[in-house]
């Protein structure tokens, strides 16, 4: 075999190897670990300090939200409110009250818009923008955090959040109180207290159809966690603490917690 023929055979074999490898290559699994490692979604913020972030979705509500604000004030607790733009428009005074009391206001879309496969990014961006405008017009600072309704996310949502300069915040899997489903005060209370860990992001709702059980649950949860030494902070405060810890340790602040 001459040199030209040998080169041809070698190139052919290399091409076959590459084609075979690509045919059997596993697709990238876009799971929680994938998004956490890229810093695109936050579920919780493991920290050495006894800090917990309480979050409330779907408000503001003219009855439930003020009662929650009163309880938070009683226990010197700060929280993050993921508000809907349509309610921020209707109840701007409550949004201002949240802001004045030191809580964080975040974006939860204008009308609780779910991200489905058919949702165009332009439509989603418009909805996010309308919610942001409502929050700012109510007298709050421009939000930096975004929580997609229902926790539904995909690459479109992530791209939209990046374009708006938002960080996507979900919640600790072990701290989904499902208070919207009215499971009972005892169930909500046990869910939070039995699973409390440093850096948790707890999911509540400050607008629940029917008679909310969230307020009565908070009456039990807040004093007990405070007795255990926990401090209630906003999500952004939690992220800032973790970033400082990571800077000291020389590691990424987005390193995920390992799950069983």
């Amino acid at each position: 075999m001459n040199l030209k023929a040998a080169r041809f055979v070698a190139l052919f074999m290399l091409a076959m190897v590459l084609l075979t490898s690509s045919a059997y290559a596993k697709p990238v699994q876009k799971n929680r670990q994938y998004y956490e490692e890229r810093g695109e979604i936050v579920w919780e913020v493991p920290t050495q300090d006894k800090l917990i972030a309480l979050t409330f979705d779907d408000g503001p509500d003219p009855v439930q939200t003020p009662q929650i604000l009163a309880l938070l004030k009683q226990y010197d607790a700060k929280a993050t409110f993921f508000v809907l733009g349509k309610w921020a428009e209707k109840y701007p005074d409550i949004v201002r009250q949240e802001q004045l009391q030191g809580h964080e206001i975040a974006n939860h879309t204008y009308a609780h818009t779910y991200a489905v496969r058919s949702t165009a990014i332009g439509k989603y961006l418009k909805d996010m923008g309308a919610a942001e405008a409502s929050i700012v017009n109510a007298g709050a600072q421009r939000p930096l955090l975004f929580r997609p309704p229902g926790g539904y996310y995909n690459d479109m949502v992530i791209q939209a959040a990046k374009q708006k300069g938002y960080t996507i915040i979900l919640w600790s899997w072990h701290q989904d109180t499902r208070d919207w489903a009215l499971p009972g005060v005892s169930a909500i209370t046990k869910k939070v207290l039995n699973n409390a860990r440093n850096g948790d992001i707890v999911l509540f709702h400050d607008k629940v159809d029917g008679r909310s059980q969230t307020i009565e649950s908070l009456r039990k949860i807040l004093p007990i966690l405070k007795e255990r030494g926990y401090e209630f902070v906003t999500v952004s405060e939690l992220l800032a603490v973790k970033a400082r810890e990571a800077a000291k340790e020389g590691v990424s602040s987005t390193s995920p917690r390992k799950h069983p």
Side-chain angles (χ1 to χ4, degrees):
M1 182 182 296
N2 58 33
L3 182 60
K4 186 175 181 180
R7 285 178 177 172
F8 176 80
V9 171
L11 287 172
F12 176 78
M13 294 299 294
L14 177 61
M16 291 300 294
V17 169
L18 291 173
L19 285 171
T20 303
S21 299
S22 117
Y24 288 96
K26 291 183 178 179
V28 175
Q29 189 176 8
K30 293 185 177 181
N31 53 16
R32 172 171 171 167
Q33 182 179 358
Y34 171 86
Y35 290 111
E36 279 186 319
E37 288 178 346
R38 293 164 63 91
E40 292 177 332
I41 302 178
V42 175
W43 278 265
E44 56 204 16
V45 188
T47 175
Q48 298 171 7
D49 298 327
K50 299 196 75 170
L51 305 173
I52 283 185
L54 306 180
T55 66
F56 298 87
D57 287 9
D58 296 355
D61 180 86
V63 176
Q64 297 168 36
T65 307
Q67 293 182 64
I68 289 171
L69 288 172
L71 277 171
L72 294 174
K73 186 176 182 180
Q74 180 181 346
Y75 291 98
D76 192 27
K78 296 297 180 284
T80 300
F81 289 85
F82 289 88
V83 309
L84 293 179
K86 66 178 183 178
W87 298 131
E89 277 185 357
K90 190 169 184 178
Y91 307 110
D93 54 327
I94 300 178
V95 175
R96 284 193 295 273
Q97 185 182 357
E98 292 170 346
Q99 180 87 59
L100 288 171
Q101 291 187 8
H103 302 295
E104 182 170 29
I105 316 299
N107 193 326
H108 196 45
T109 73
Y110 183 84
H112 211 264
T113 304
Y114 289 103
V116 295
R117 289 186 178 182
S118 60
T119 305
I121 188 170
K123 179 181 178 181
Y124 206 70
L125 282 166
K126 184 178 180 180
D127 189 272
M128 294 168 75
E132 180 180 304
S134 298
I135 291 167
V136 172
N137 290 338
Q141 296 177 350
R142 179 191 179 276
L144 300 174
L145 308 180
F146 175 73
R147 174 174 285 166
Y152 296 147
Y153 63 88
N154 51 34
D155 287 341
M156 180 277 291
V157 173
I158 291 167
Q159 184 181 348
K162 287 180 177 179
Q163 288 190 35
K164 295 291 293 181
Y166 288 132
T167 298
I168 297 177
I169 305 296
L170 294 183
W171 54 85
S172 304
W173 284 346
H174 54 280
Q175 290 290 14
D176 181 356
T177 64
R178 292 181 57 84
D179 56 345
W180 57 270
L182 305 177
V185 171
S186 177
I188 296 170
T189 303
K190 288 178 180 178
K191 183 73 171 181
V192 177
L193 296 180
N194 292 349
N195 296 290
R197 306 175 191 170
N198 295 2
D200 278 354
I201 297 176
V202 187
L203 174 61
F204 291 107
H205 294 76
D206 62 322
K207 187 175 182 63
V208 177
D209 291 335
R211 186 172 179 178
S212 171
Q213 298 167 344
T214 307
I215 296 159
E216 191 59 36
S217 300
L218 286 169
R219 294 187 198 279
K220 301 175 183 295
I221 291 167
L222 288 168
I224 293 176
L225 287 183
K226 193 162 186 178
E227 286 176 6
R228 293 181 187 176
Y230 282 102
E231 181 182 354
F232 307 102
V233 298
T234 66
V235 171
S236 286
E237 288 172 333
L238 194 58
L239 291 169
V241 168
K242 185 59 181 178
R244 289 196 294 271
E245 288 181 0
K248 289 180 182 179
E249 298 170 2
V251 298
S252 169
S253 62
T254 58
S255 297
R257 173 185 287 170
K258 292 184 179 179
H259 296 271

